[in-house]
Amino acid sequence: MTKDRRFISRLLSRRSLWIAFLLLPATLVMTLFVVWPLISAFRFAFYDFNGLKPANFVGFENFRQVLFESPFSDWTYNALYHNVIVFCALMVFENGIAFLIAFGLLKALPGHRVHQVIVFLPVVLSAVIVGFLWKLLLHPLFGLVNGALMLIGIQGPAWLGNETTALGSIIFANVWHWIGFPTLVLLAGMQRVGQEVLEAARLDGAGDWDLLKHIIWPLIAPSVTIVVILTFIGSFNWFELPFVMAGLTGSPGGSTDVLGLYFYRTAFGSVTSGIQDFGQGSALAVLMFLVVAGVTFVALRYLRRREIEI
Amino acid sequence: MVMDLNPKTRRMPVIKQPGEFMKNGAIQALLLLNAFIMLYPLFVMVMSSFKTNAEIFTSPFSLPENPNFDNITKVWTGTNFVQYLANSVGVTGASILLILLFGTMAAYAIARYKFKLGAFMLMFFLSGMTVPLKLAIIPLFIQLDALHLVDSYAGLVLVYVAMGLPSAVFIMTGFLRSLPRELEESARIDGANELLIMLKIMLPLARPAMVIVAIQNAVPIWNDFFFPLILITSDNLKTLPQGLTVFMGEFVTDWGVLFTGLTFAALPITLLYVILSRHFIAGITQGAIK
């Protein structure tokens, strides 16, 4: 009896040791490099810094500076404004065009499978490659884009050197880079619409427009939700492309500055000033997190309800 | 989860209607135009790497007249390009190996054993999926600095492993749970120990899930620019995207060399993508398509 029980308890302890061993490395890495940094990110926003060390608790001072004290607040709102523009532009151009391409691909015309591979190709490339490639192609004198415009007699502008065209040019490069993603996500959503449903609607004399409006659009609502949310998160984390194409300060004249660039400059110093402020940077990071998490939460609830309604 | 690319099962009913032919023709034309816009910039990039500067400026649209290999030699021997490439291969490879190893171990414990903290551990890993680690870069930097891991491969790899683990645990747990219990029970009765059961019986079956995890993580890690930008300062440790910014700054006016650098940087992942496009697409869109 006692012998049996000891045997069982030994087995148990060995088994729980084995389980602990399996869980240990992943838990350790997650704790050190995700959990602890995330908790500290919130804490640091309330401190001022002495080099790499948090020095004094300053309450909401860092938040006050980035939100209400000029020139910091001007930079914050200027950057935020551009993030909003980027989101709206990507919703219309990237996701709008992606929807049309997906619908075209749904027809399964010859070559549709090759097209899926082609449209997704830039997605696997680094934003650094895409950014530099388009920077060269958009060069005012030697770039291919203005070269092509020349052929039809138009003198193209200095796309990236001009305050009115710079942000739009970078958004264009982003659309080219990422359009394959929403295209294939929406296409997968459309392909889940049952064949019998489409067949039946067709027999009832429904045209493409009726199919789109009354059958496909309502049924792909879950895919649309995901695409909208991911576009929002992507627009507010925008960093690589403007960094490569317009530089750290969002040139020309801050017309391409976004929160990601402003955060990087504040936390890790800009080329020109060399100022580094971890306190303000942490406050910015917390604000960005709250905006993204808050809007995502509200939007998700709204979009999920919409999915059920239509 | 995996997209059905088979036209026979997934195609819109083609019932001949008046004007159907015309309409399909118009759609096909627009799709061709789109394919052209997607591919032509890349085609120009590759072609320009065989041209001299003068030829790029005077005839940007034409094929290279006398293919010129000077740019390639210049990039290959006159820059740190090969070093950057090797660094990217090493960092990405090490990160994927550790994500698979640690992720599978944790997922195996959660999926195949009943223990008190099981549900909690799964939640612990899943919560990591919702937070963008980029926003915690300041404490992460301070943490790595305290551990003397700034400006080292190890620091960069650990950050990538931490970033990849949540989704890896999620995917692997789901997959491992779906495997039948009878397999391990019978092995256990035959006296096999737990380690042997895991390595010889369960994990070989989990290979498809591992491929998904590997591709899903390899692409963003290979392409990442943000973390090296902050964590790596020594030129001989820089990864490919980061090295590319150095390189583009050095050869500002030498367009032939610039296009060659971009072509080289894009080549490895493009080739892999062309061979494994189905797996790439499934892996990258995995989270968004259910």
Side-chain angles (χ1 to χ4, degrees):
Chain A
M1 223 9 213
T2 46
K3 210 177 164 192
D4 275 354
R5 202 173 289 164
R6 214 179 302 149
F7 174 69
I8 290 168
S9 84
R10 231 179 59 202
L11 192 82
L12 268 179
S13 72
R14 274 177 68 194
R15 178 174 270 209
S16 52
L17 245 153
W18 165 241
I19 292 174
F21 163 75
L22 288 175
L23 288 168
L24 187 70
T27 314
L28 197 68
V29 173
M30 284 285 290
T31 311
L32 277 178
F33 301 107
V34 177
V35 178
W36 189 85
L38 278 168
I39 294 170
S40 311
F42 280 89
R43 199 167 60 89
F44 286 174
F46 298 95
Y47 282 81
D48 71 359
F49 271 73
N50 189 357
L52 289 185
K53 282 202 167 61
N56 307 301
F57 182 80
V58 293
F60 285 92
E61 177 60 19
N62 292 320
F63 291 97
R64 195 192 60 77
Q65 284 176 1
V66 295
L67 286 177
F68 303 112
E69 189 180 313
S70 199
F72 309 114
S73 57
D74 305 336
W75 294 332
T76 308
Y77 296 122
N78 179 49
L80 176 66
Y81 171 63
H82 291 141
N83 282 108
V84 173
I85 291 183
V86 170
F87 170 68
C88 297
L90 291 182
M91 279 302 293
V92 174
F93 295 107
E94 188 171 301
N95 299 336
I97 297 172
F99 182 83
L100 296 178
I101 300 174
F103 187 62
L105 290 174
L106 187 64
K107 301 225 162 221
L109 300 173
H112 70 112
R113 273 185 285 179
V114 179
H115 196 102
Q116 291 181 32
V117 175
I118 291 173
V119 85
F120 204 77
L121 171 58
V123 174
V124 305
L125 297 178
S126 167
V128 176
I129 297 176
V130 173
F132 278 126
L133 177 60
W134 280 103
K135 199 177 173 179
L136 292 177
L137 298 179
L138 289 168
H139 190 278
L141 296 178
F142 307 120
L144 198 79
V145 174
N146 280 1
L149 289 175
M150 262 325 230
L151 293 179
I152 51 170
I154 300 172
Q155 175 67 56
W159 297 101
L160 292 167
N162 210 313
E163 290 196 15
T164 49
T165 52
L167 187 61
S169 305
I170 305 175
I171 290 171
F172 170 80
N174 191 89
V175 172
W176 184 83
H177 186 193
W178 277 104
I179 195 157
F181 187 83
T183 302
L184 294 198
V185 171
L186 293 172
L187 177 62
M190 291 177 188
Q191 286 173 335
R192 268 199 308 267
V193 176
Q195 282 315 295
E196 322 75 57
V197 180
L198 294 179
E199 207 89 46
R202 272 289 162 105
L203 287 174
D204 288 345
D208 274 349
W209 176 246
D210 300 310
L211 281 184
L212 257 185
K213 192 171 169 222
H214 297 296
I215 296 175
I216 294 177
W217 179 249
L219 287 174
I220 63 162
S223 306
V224 173
T225 303
I226 294 221
V227 166
V228 171
I229 298 284
L230 289 179
T231 306
F232 180 76
I233 295 174
S235 324
F236 273 75
N237 287 326
W238 223 40
F239 177 76
E240 276 95 345
L241 219 46
F243 180 93
V244 166
M245 293 179 75
L248 199 45
T249 53
S251 59
S255 63
T256 57
D257 201 16
V258 284
L259 286 171
L261 288 176
Y262 178 44
F263 164 76
Y264 179 82
R265 282 202 309 276
T266 308
F268 296 96
S270 75
V271 193
T272 45
S273 65
I275 305 167
Q276 188 171 355
D277 189 333
F278 273 2
Q280 264 193 27
S282 298
L284 274 174
V286 167
L287 288 171
M288 284 165 75
F289 174 75
L290 291 179
V291 169
V292 171
V295 173
T296 303
F297 180 74
V298 173
L300 211 53
R301 285 192 55 164
Y302 166 76
L303 290 168
R304 288 271 182 248
R305 200 171 329 135
R306 176 184 153 275
E307 279 171 25
I308 298 164
E309 273 167 13
I310 61 174
Chain B
M1 216 193 296
V2 179
M3 244 168 297
D4 189 347
L5 300 173
N6 183 348
K8 282 196 186 105
T9 56
R10 295 287 183 197
R11 97 181 269 154
M12 280 220 335
V14 184
I15 294 165
K16 288 288 169 230
Q17 283 184 352
E20 190 72 31
F21 185 72
M22 286 283 289
K23 201 157 58 186
N24 283 350
I27 290 173
Q28 191 67 296
L30 287 174
L31 286 176
L32 277 175
L33 175 70
N34 182 57
F36 176 79
I37 296 172
M38 300 313 287
L39 286 181
Y40 190 65
L42 296 170
F43 177 74
V44 167
M45 173 179 88
V46 177
M47 284 306 122
S48 301
S49 55
F50 295 105
K51 292 178 180 178
T52 61
N53 269 331
E55 205 183 344
I56 291 174
F57 296 147
T58 53
S59 44
F61 300 100
S62 60
L63 293 173
E65 201 135 321
N66 313 301
N68 167 323
F69 297 92
D70 291 356
N71 297 325
I72 295 172
T73 2
K74 224 188 258 180
V75 171
W76 208 249
T77 57
T79 70
N80 262 348
F81 208 88
V82 181
Q83 177 79 53
Y84 301 146
L85 189 70
N87 292 342
S88 269
V89 171
V91 167
T92 310
S95 305
I96 298 301
L97 275 180
L98 289 179
I99 290 171
L100 281 176
L101 180 65
F102 295 170
T104 308
M105 281 168 71
Y108 191 81
I110 294 170
R112 305 304 296 185
Y113 298 105
K114 276 206 174 104
F115 60 103
K116 259 187 200 154
L117 288 172
F120 170 79
M121 287 311 294
L122 187 60
M123 281 309 293
F124 172 77
F125 287 113
L126 290 197
S127 63
M129 269 167 60
T130 54
V131 286
L133 200 55
K134 275 184 186 180
L135 290 180
I137 184 65
I138 291 175
L140 200 56
F141 181 84
I142 295 174
Q143 173 87 316
L144 289 166
D145 186 64
L147 297 168
H148 301 290
L149 290 174
V150 167
D151 202 22
S152 73
Y153 291 136
L156 197 56
V157 168
L158 282 169
V159 170
Y160 289 144
V161 173
M163 228 166 51
L165 272 176
S167 67
V169 171
F170 175 68
I171 294 171
M172 293 305 298
T173 304
F175 193 86
L176 287 169
R177 267 189 183 152
S178 70
L179 298 177
R181 212 152 259 290
E182 291 76 34
L183 282 171
E184 57 182 304
E185 296 296 339
S186 62
R188 210 164 273 150
I189 289 163
D190 290 347
N193 68 34
E194 299 296 321
L195 179 69
L196 218 64
I197 293 172
M198 177 168 114
L199 292 181
K200 294 271 163 169
I201 298 176
M202 304 312 283
L203 292 191
L205 295 171
R207 226 174 271 156
M210 288 183 175
V211 172
I212 292 270
V213 170
I215 287 181
Q216 192 183 40
N217 284 290
V219 176
I221 293 174
W222 175 265
N223 287 336
D224 185 51
F225 173 61
F226 183 78
F227 287 107
L229 177 70
I230 287 166
L231 298 176
I232 302 289
T233 47
S234 308
D235 195 53
N236 62 340
L237 294 182
K238 284 181 176 165
T239 60
L240 200 52
Q242 191 189 12
L244 208 54
T245 59
V246 178
F247 175 87
M248 298 300 281
E250 255 171 51
F251 293 87
V252 219
T253 51
D254 200 341
W255 280 40
V257 174
L258 295 185
F259 277 119
T260 310
L262 289 176
T263 304
F264 272 159
L267 203 59
I269 199 157
T270 307
L271 286 181
L272 263 182
Y273 170 71
V274 170
I275 300 166
L276 299 169
S277 56
R278 214 188 248 248
H279 293 281
F280 269 71
I281 294 172
I284 296 172
T285 57
Q286 200 266 342
I289 297 174
K290 277 196 308 248

